[in-house]
Each structure stands twice: as C-alpha cells, then as structure tokens.
Amino acid sequence: MQSQELLKQVHLKVSLARTSVLQQLLDAKTACSAEQLYLQLQQQQSGLSLATIYRVLTDLEQAQLIERQYHQRTKASFVMRQQRTQFQILDLQTGQIKAFEHDNLSKYLASVGRCYATEISQS
C-alpha cells in the first residue's frame, strides 16, 4: 500500500505497472537497473515488458520519487529518492556498490575507514 500512497502524493495515476516497479524499488536494499527490475518482476509473473518498465521509471523519475544513478559510466541504476543523505562505498574486489546512511556520519565514516584500513576524507 505504501507505493500506492506515494503515487497519489505526486499525482500519478495508480496502475499495476507503476505500483509493481515502485514496490520493487522500495523493497530493494541497493540500486537496481531496469533489467534487474524486469527479471524480478518476471519472477512474480507480472507480465510487464522491459519497455513498460523503462517508461514507468521515467515517470517516477520525473515525479522525483526515484533517482537515476550512473556508476563507472555503465548502465543506469535507480534508487528511491532519499530525504536523508545516503553514501555509497565501492567494493574494489567485487565491484559492488553498497549504500549506507547514518545520523552521525563523521564518526561512522571514520569507523568504516578503519574497517577497510583506509582514511576517508570528506569534501
């Protein structure tokens, strides 16, 4: 139901396609590409085409519910737009980008840096 409420708040018509894509993004712990969303929705037998998912992602981005992100000039990925500051860290061994957020970021970043045996500078 949260996805339907968000769609109503931004004055978008509540449709199966929009609700399904938005719910997947709400449930996701990391950024998802359109292709990843397509595969996840196919497993749920949603019947949505890849073109429909791209159209819905564009609608949601224009309504400022989601953000499009590019990592290392590869395919775009999509995340829910956050009111809080969200940071990302790149695992150089796996290439995965992990998102995190925290209320007291300075202390948290220092501890993350110690875990990865590096110093994190703030700009």
Side-chain angles (χ1 to χ4, degrees):
M1 291 297 183
Q2 185 182 6
S3 58
Q4 292 177 359
E5 293 169 11
L6 286 172
L7 290 170
K8 289 177 185 177
Q9 286 176 1
V10 295
H11 307 290
L12 283 176
K13 181 180 176 185
V14 176
S15 68
L16 176 63
R18 287 183 179 138
T19 304
S20 299
V21 171
L22 188 56
Q23 193 60 53
Q24 284 295 321
L25 288 169
L26 284 168
D27 294 342
K29 296 187 189 294
T30 61
C32 296
S33 69
E35 291 80 7
Q36 289 171 323
L37 290 169
Y38 174 73
L39 292 174
Q40 291 169 1
L41 291 168
Q42 290 299 74
Q43 289 176 349
Q44 297 175 5
Q45 300 178 356
S46 69
L48 299 177
S49 69
L50 186 57
T52 299
I53 291 172
Y54 274 111
R55 181 186 50 78
V56 168
L57 289 170
T58 300
D59 292 344
L60 296 176
E61 184 180 19
Q62 289 175 347
Q64 297 185 346
L65 284 175
I66 64 172
E67 292 180 356
R68 182 183 306 245
Q69 298 178 340
Y70 292 95
H71 302 291
Q72 299 177 349
R73 297 184 184 188
T74 58
K75 293 181 183 178
S77 58
F78 300 87
V79 293
M80 291 300 301
R81 189 177 196 112
Q82 300 287 326
Q83 297 299 329
R84 298 174 61 183
T85 303
Q86 186 178 43
F87 291 87
Q88 298 174 343
I89 191 166
L90 173 64
D91 184 334
L92 295 176
Q93 292 177 346
T94 65
Q96 286 188 314
I97 296 172
K98 299 176 183 177
F100 63 93
E101 53 186 58
H102 197 277
D103 293 331
N104 194 348
L105 288 173
S106 296
K107 290 180 183 176
Y108 187 68
L109 285 174
S111 69
V112 169
R114 283 191 297 274
C115 289
Y116 288 94
T118 187
E119 183 177 333
I120 297 176
S121 63
Q122 297 177 8
S123 53

